[in-house]
Amino acid sequence: MKFVDEATVTIEAGKGGNGCMSFRREKFIAKGGPDGGDGGDGGSVFVEADESLNTLIDYRFQPRYSAQNGKGGQSRNCTGAKGDDLIMKVPVGTTVVDIDTDEVLADLTKVGQVEKIAQGGFHGLGNTRFKSSVNRAPRQTTSGSLGETRNVKLELKVLADVGLLGLPNAGKSTFIRSVSAATPKVADYPFTTLVPNLGVVSTEKHKSFVIADIPGIIEGAAEGAGLGIQFLKHLARNRILLHLVDMAPWDGVMPADSAQVIVRELEKFSPTLAAQPRWLVLNKLDMVPEAEQEERCQAVIDALSWDGPVYRISAINKMGTQELVRDIQVFLDQLAVQLAEDPELAEAELQVRRSIDREGRERIEQMRAEIRAKRRGEDDFDDFDDDDYDVEVEYVKN
């Protein structure tokens, strides 16, 4: 199902109702005194994470949303009705950012999570409120306050535990096909993956994790080459990054050079993301002569000065994939226990995710600004079409 992973909208909370100025008027009752009621509060704007949604496309075509205004107060001390709140349903994984202040208003990572993003205006006071022993016939009222108005960006990031990184044709799609029931396109030419693919990997009963395959990154992606780096934002919530390296490249580029390209582009996008747990996965070893395998693998390890986990696999025939999947599940289980037992660790991880979001957002905006400037200089054409980067995601459980 096609969906947009970014949308910019204006939200406006409701205005509070005005207070009423009124005096009691009944037959045979003189000077009945003030009886003007208060106004009603304006409605607020909320966002709610809905598991039935996986797209922001509805918000692309309707750019303005308003909550209901509060009603004005009435005589006989009747309070005006409160304005209805506006609840905007969005997919799980949506972040709401105030464009003007760059403040993260909400980060919806759980089904049913509800967050307020704009406060409704407060009610005005009727003249009854100003009655006192020295002011028996007050003529003062107050107006309801305006609700908050915000220009916000909705950013959807796919929720996955593991993310795949690599150049085009590194075997990422083949890997996700081999360990899950997902069926992304596989072909013998680059850029066969144009949108993120998600697969649910079941390791044993009641245990599974989600793995995300994003379009391949090429050298110069941070400057807009290829599909650019905008898809890297979908890896912001991953616990582990698997760096797949093609050990038998079709274009003759040395695997060590290919591996370094990914690291450089990742660091340009977000240094914090580049510092997250990353495992090296050397793929397509079935296509390398046995006598050369060790030499090629060691060359990649040396080029990256790598001291982390290394896995030698062939995704197409599932050589080494089961061991890798098993180790991923163990790592995720241990991390879940640590986060549950240590609130400070959980808070630190949350701050890391926010840093990745911020760095990625700044880099993407910088890249888009450079593209716009280039287009203005070449063609006097300055619009950037986000539809070029819409993504299609399908969850498939193994």
Side-chain angles (χ1 to χ4, degrees):
M1 179 180 293
K2 181 127 179 184
F3 78 87
V4 178
D5 61 350
E6 284 188 5
T8 300
V9 298
T10 298
I11 57 171
E12 183 177 356
K15 176 185 179 298
N18 296 331
C20 173
M21 186 178 71
S22 174
F23 294 91
R24 184 180 178 195
R25 292 290 184 266
E26 291 186 34
K27 191 175 182 180
F28 306 122
I29 299 178
K31 300 179 181 178
D35 68 348
D38 299 339
D41 291 332
S44 298
V45 181
F46 295 83
V47 285
E48 179 181 356
D50 189 334
E51 64 179 338
S52 66
L53 300 176
N54 63 357
T55 175
L56 293 172
I57 195 167
D58 291 339
Y59 297 103
R60 174 66 65 85
F61 301 111
Q62 184 177 340
R64 192 173 190 89
Y65 295 83
S66 301
Q68 190 177 42
N69 294 332
K71 302 297 183 182
Q74 299 178 17
S75 60
R76 298 186 180 182
N77 292 315
C78 291
T79 300
K82 180 184 182 299
D84 291 336
D85 294 329
L86 173 65
I87 300 179
M88 303 170 60
K89 294 185 180 294
V90 296
V92 181
T94 300
T95 301
V96 184
V97 182
D98 189 311
I99 296 175
D100 300 317
T101 64
D102 205 31
E103 176 189 1
V104 177
L105 303 176
D107 190 11
L108 306 176
T109 58
K110 298 179 181 178
V111 175
Q113 183 179 349
V114 178
E115 301 288 347
K116 182 189 293 185
I117 58 174
Q119 174 66 51
F122 293 103
H123 60 266
L125 302 179
N127 65 335
T128 302
R129 296 281 192 172
F130 298 93
K131 180 177 64 175
S132 70
S133 60
V134 296
N135 188 5
R136 300 296 182 88
R139 295 183 177 275
Q140 300 100 320
T141 63
T142 61
S143 300
S145 62
L146 295 174
E148 290 182 319
T149 298
R150 296 180 184 271
N151 298 310
V152 301
K153 176 180 283 188
L154 306 176
E155 299 178 344
L156 175 60
K157 304 178 186 70
V158 296
L159 297 180
D161 304 294
V162 180
L164 302 181
L165 280 170
L167 293 178
N169 269 29
K172 302 185 299 300
S173 297
T174 302
F175 176 79
I176 201 172
R177 289 173 70 108
S178 70
V179 299
S180 76
T183 57
K185 183 178 180 180
V186 174
D188 59 354
Y189 55 84
F191 295 113
T192 52
T193 299
L194 300 177
V195 297
N197 295 293
L198 300 181
V200 180
V201 182
S202 296
T203 54
E204 56 184 275
K205 189 175 182 179
H206 304 308
K207 279 193 175 184
S208 64
F209 60 86
V210 179
I211 191 167
D213 167 26
I214 67 168
I217 305 300
I218 65 173
E219 189 165 12
E223 285 71 44
L227 293 178
I229 57 173
Q230 57 276 358
F231 287 117
L232 283 175
K233 68 184 177 185
H234 292 285
L235 304 182
R237 304 182 193 275
N238 295 161
R239 309 286 193 186
I240 310 174
L241 299 179
L242 299 185
H243 182 175
L244 267 70
V245 180
D246 184 356
M247 302 305 293
W250 60 275
D251 56 2
V253 176
M254 297 300 294
D257 297 333
S258 301
Q260 290 176 317
V261 167
I262 293 297
V263 173
R264 288 196 296 267
E265 296 300 325
L266 188 62
E267 290 175 343
K268 289 179 182 178
F269 175 78
S270 169
T272 306
L273 179 60
Q276 296 310 293
R278 192 164 80 250
W279 296 2
L280 186 61
V281 181
L282 307 179
N283 191 25
K284 301 186 183 181
L285 283 175
D286 59 313
M287 301 177 64
V288 179
E290 187 173 350
E292 301 178 16
Q293 289 183 5
E294 185 58 35
E295 181 181 354
R296 289 198 187 186
C297 292
Q298 192 59 47
V300 174
I301 294 172
D302 293 341
L304 298 178
S305 301
W306 191 264
D307 58 0
V310 180
Y311 292 85
R312 296 168 169 82
I313 72 167
S314 173
I316 196 168
N317 58 25
K318 300 186 177 182
M319 181 190 79
T321 58
Q322 290 306 307
E323 178 188 359
L324 174 56
V325 165
R326 185 175 60 251
D327 289 352
I328 291 173
Q329 187 67 69
V330 171
F331 176 88
L332 294 175
D333 290 345
Q334 292 175 346
L335 181 59
V337 172
Q338 294 172 1
L339 293 175
E341 294 178 347
D342 189 348
E344 292 184 359
L345 180 61
E347 178 62 26
E349 187 193 46
L350 178 61
Q351 295 304 321
V352 167
R353 302 302 166 201
R354 289 176 177 172
S355 295
I356 295 173
D357 286 344
R358 184 180 63 256
E359 292 171 358
R361 192 178 303 116
E362 292 173 353
R363 186 66 193 112
I364 289 174
E365 289 303 320
Q366 180 184 354
M367 182 188 72
R368 289 176 174 174
E370 292 171 354
I371 292 175
R372 291 188 184 100
K374 183 178 179 181
R375 287 178 174 176
R376 283 196 297 268
E378 294 179 354
D379 306 314
D380 195 28
F381 182 72
D382 64 351
D383 67 323
F384 183 87
D385 189 357
D386 285 329
D387 287 332
D388 293 341
Y389 300 102
D390 291 353
V391 301
E392 180 177 294
V393 175
E394 181 179 358
Y395 284 88
V396 182
K397 187 171 183 178
N398 188 13

